[in-house]
């Protein structure tokens, strides 16, 4: 969950590292640090607890110099709290060697004991300093060959790690390695980069190389070499980054989240683009892969957090259109029970980052058990797609705010496309209207943004002192209730819970007292008069107990009006498309309420965007 950047080239590295870290800060923001080797072969290092701004201010007051080789890190604490000492880089070999790390070194305790027994003294509580000390010892004992020492060390580490190192005696060289944690290479002209993701270097180059699991990379200004952990050269996979640096800038918006909420029409349009041909959904990435979908008895969709709520919408769509039993499993639960899966199971994983460790482990587990695997991912070159038999990319563009918004809409859209594609391939699809409706989805999202933004913002301002909000939904409205509650919890720190509306009288209705705000996602009566009438009954039940009812309903749904304190309208849409529209006001509400409370909506406390530890 930490962000990592490395640079070698002709330019002073300090500013390049800080700019790279600014783009990676979403990965962790409790401390940050950089190390730079200058032309005289001196290694300078600065690290600070707090957000990147603290480090940046310190460097403005006292720059590290003109060194053109450097590494930088932004941290989400695992071992040891967020202090200056625990921040990265960690130094060894009398301050001549610097190391940064993302992940968890699981065998750090015995390694630390081994080094302590030799008289090594540690300054921090981190597992990373153990790796640095190990590297320092190896480097000294092999006569100063950084690459050989690095290879020896990574072979001793267990767990998940991306590790970068440089030594002042070898300026112009940064070495890196990855195991179950991300690292990509950026290829420049006379300069090269390393980063946790392409955001680290996209302002300098859009040419990149993806590195596989258990591989080591060495970059100099003119060369990049990649080997496996045994030292055997391997080919890294080239790719072009499809978005430019401007896409990852705030561009005048108050927050990245505000920008990303507003970008949803475009994110959804980009996810659909090129995937509807002659009235049919055809996903080019799945050409020749019909075997993934034919002859299966079961689909399991696995994901975490917001992505798992997209998965729940996907369950309804795949069952309806592709007629195959579909379950949703939280990745961290799926992986640690003994699920009944085999070659008749398709395991679909969903991940914006493509690096979520829980989801990655679930995919690997499914493959080991012989299941077919497909991932839905937003990040090129990420690990989860590389570990899957197939990938359908969402094209939402970079999502920087920690709270996921446009990636969620794009994930649901990709699942709708996939459900329709599977239905066609399995020769069971009858709902041709759904394919036709895809094209109008971006425009309908834009209409919700335009018509409801001010109304919902005002509502949130009125409710800034609220201490608890409940969300209810049925059918595909249920995952949206869960997502509405998660958005509110994570950025405004208000107690919020989402329920299936039918579950209310089995317990949660006890929470209703006069004035309790409850959002209710009401499905269109055009899809099912029965489901609609059940939700209207649920509204009456909570209203009778004094709840303040805020309804999200289709334009023209008069049946809800007598029982609602507030009505938020969404345009008419097919049943499976309503979630993408209904979630928008809930995102706006969470964002406006957090803003009214004076909170940082982009970087909520305790969280990081890419959860690369289990
Ligand atoms: C919530 C949020 C998280 C992520 C979850 C999975 O707003 O962003 O719940 O959805 O951590 O992340 P990815 O999609 O990167 O696997």
């Amino acid at each position: 969950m930490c962000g990592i950047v490395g640079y070698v080239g002709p330019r002073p590295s300090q500013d390049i590292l800080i700019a790279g870290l600014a783009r990676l800060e979403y990965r962790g923001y409790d401390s940050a640090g950089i190390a730079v080797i200058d032309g005289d072969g001196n290694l300078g290092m600065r690290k600070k607890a707090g957000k990147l701004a603290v480090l940046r201010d310190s460097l403005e007051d006292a720059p590290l110099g003109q060194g053109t080789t450097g590494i930088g890190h932004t941290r989400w604490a695992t071992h040891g709290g967020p202090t200056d000492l625990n921040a990265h880089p960690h130094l060894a070999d009398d301050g001549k060697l610097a190391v940064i790390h993302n992940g968890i070194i699981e065998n750090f305790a015995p390694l630390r004991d081994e080094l302590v027994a030799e008289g090594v003294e540690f300054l921090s509580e981190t597992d990373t300093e153990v790796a640095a000390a190990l590297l320092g010892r190896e480097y000294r004992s092999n006569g100063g060959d950084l690459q050989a020492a690095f290879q020896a060390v990574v072979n001793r580490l267990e767990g998940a790690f991306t590790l970068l190192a440089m030594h002042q005696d070898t300026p112009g060289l940064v070495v890196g390695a990855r195991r179950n944690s991300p690292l990509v290479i950026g290829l420049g002209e006379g300069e090269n980069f390393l980063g946790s993701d392409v955001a680290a270097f996209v302002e300098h180059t859009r040419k990149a190389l993806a590195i596989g699991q258990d591989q080591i990379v060495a970059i100099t200004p003119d060369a990049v070499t990649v080997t496996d952990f045994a030292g055997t050269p391997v080919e890294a996979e080239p790719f072009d980054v499809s978005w430019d640096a401007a896409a990852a800038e705030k561009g005048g918006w108050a927050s990245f989240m505000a920008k990303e909420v507003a970008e949803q029409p475009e994110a959804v349009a980009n996810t659909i683009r090129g995937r509807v041909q002659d009235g049919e959904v055809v996903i080019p990435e799945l050409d020749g892969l019909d075997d993934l979908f034919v002859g299966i008895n079961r689909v399991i969709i696995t994901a975490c957090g917001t992505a798992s709520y997209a998965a729940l919408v996907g369950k309804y769509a795949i069952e309806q259109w592709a007629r195959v039993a579909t379950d949703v499993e939280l990745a961290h639960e799926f992986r640690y029970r003994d699920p009944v899966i085999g070659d008749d199971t398709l395991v679909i994983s969903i991940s914006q980052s493509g690096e979520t460790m829980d989801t990655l482990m679930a995919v690997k587990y499914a493959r080991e058990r012989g299941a077919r695997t497909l991932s839905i991912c937003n990040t090129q070159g990420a690990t989860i797609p590389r570990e899957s038999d197939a990938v359908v990319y969402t094209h939402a563009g970079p999502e920087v705010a920690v709270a996921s918004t446009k990636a969620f809409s794009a994930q649901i859209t990709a699942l709708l496309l996939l459900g329709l594609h599977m239905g066609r391939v399995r020769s069971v699809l009858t709902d041709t209207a759904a394919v036709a409706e895809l094209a109008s989805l971006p425009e309908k999202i834009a209409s919700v943004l335009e018509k409801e933004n001010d109304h919902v913002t005002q509502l949130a301002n009125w409710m800034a002192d609220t201490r608890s909000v409940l969300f209810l939904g049925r059918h595909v409205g249920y995952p949206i209730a869960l997502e509405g509650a998660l958005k509110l919890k994570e950025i405004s720190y208000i107690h919020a819970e989402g329920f299936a509306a039918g579950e209310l009288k089995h317990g949660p209705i006890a929470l209703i007292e006069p004035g309790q705000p409850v959002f209710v996602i009401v499905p269109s009566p055009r899809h099912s008069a029965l489901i609609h009438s059940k939700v209207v009954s649920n509204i009456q039940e909570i209203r009778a107990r004094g709840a303040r009812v805020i309804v999200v309903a289709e334009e023209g749904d008069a049946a809800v009006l007598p029982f609602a304190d507030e009505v938020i309208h969404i345009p008419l849409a097919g049943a499976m498309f309503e979630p993408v529209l209904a979630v928008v006001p809930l995102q706006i509400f969470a964002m406006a309420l957090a803003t009214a409370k004076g909170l940082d909506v982009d970087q909520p406390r305790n969280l990081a965007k890419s959860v690369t530890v289990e």
Side-chain angles (χ1 to χ4, degrees), residues 257 303-309 350-360 376 378-379 384 399 401-405 407-408 411 483 486-487 490-491 607-611:
M257 187 174 176
C304 302
T306 286
S308 75
Y309 303 148
I350 308 177
S351 176
Q352 187 285 130
S353 61
E355 301 294 347
T356 298
M357 183 60 77
D358 293 313
T359 311
L360 173 61
I376 292 177
N378 194 43
T379 310
I384 291 172
E399 192 179 65
V402 164
S404 188
T405 53
F408 177 70
Q411 284 161 353
E483 173 62 1
L486 178 60
K487 283 292 90 87
E490 69 182 325
I491 61 168
L607 290 171
K609 188 150 187 75
S610 186
V611 186

Side-chain angles (χ1 to χ4, degrees), residues 404-550:
S404 188
T405 53
K406 64 174 178 172
F408 177 70
S409 317
Q411 284 161 353
I412 295 179
T413 306
L415 283 158
L416 300 183
L417 288 164
L418 188 61
L420 292 165
H421 178 93
M422 284 171 69
R424 181 179 57 76
V425 169
R426 291 167 59 84
S427 309
V428 292
L429 181 68
T430 51
D431 186 355
T432 45
V435 182
E437 194 173 344
L438 277 166
S440 62
L441 192 55
E443 197 182 300
K444 289 178 186 170
I445 303 171
S447 140
V448 181
L449 286 163
E450 192 191 314
K451 292 186 182 158
E452 290 294 349
N453 185 62
D454 293 352
H455 172 209
V456 176
T457 303
Q458 195 179 46
L459 193 62
N461 288 336
W462 288 335
M463 289 171 64
D465 296 330
T466 303
R467 297 182 52 196
S468 162
V469 182
L470 305 181
F471 293 81
L472 301 181
R474 243 176 217 263
H475 194 256
V476 286
Y478 167 45
I480 298 310
L482 296 173
E483 173 62 1
L486 178 60
K487 283 292 90 87
L488 194 59
K489 276 183 254 209
E490 69 182 325
I491 61 168
S492 65
Y493 317 150
I494 287 177
H495 169 254
E497 273 190 81
F499 298 107
E503 191 63 11
L504 200 67
K505 53 191 167 298
H506 300 287
I509 199 164
L511 291 170
I512 307 290
E513 55 187 14
Q516 169 68 51
V518 185
F519 278 79
V520 187
I521 321 303
V522 183
S524 164
R526 296 174 301 110
H527 307 316
S528 164
L530 185 63
I531 300 180
H532 179 264
S533 69
K534 300 281 177 215
V535 176
V536 174
S537 303
N538 296 141
I539 295 176
Q540 286 167 300
E541 287 155 16
I542 53 170
R543 183 63 189 243
R545 287 158 179 86
R548 179 165 182 215
V549 181
I550 303 144

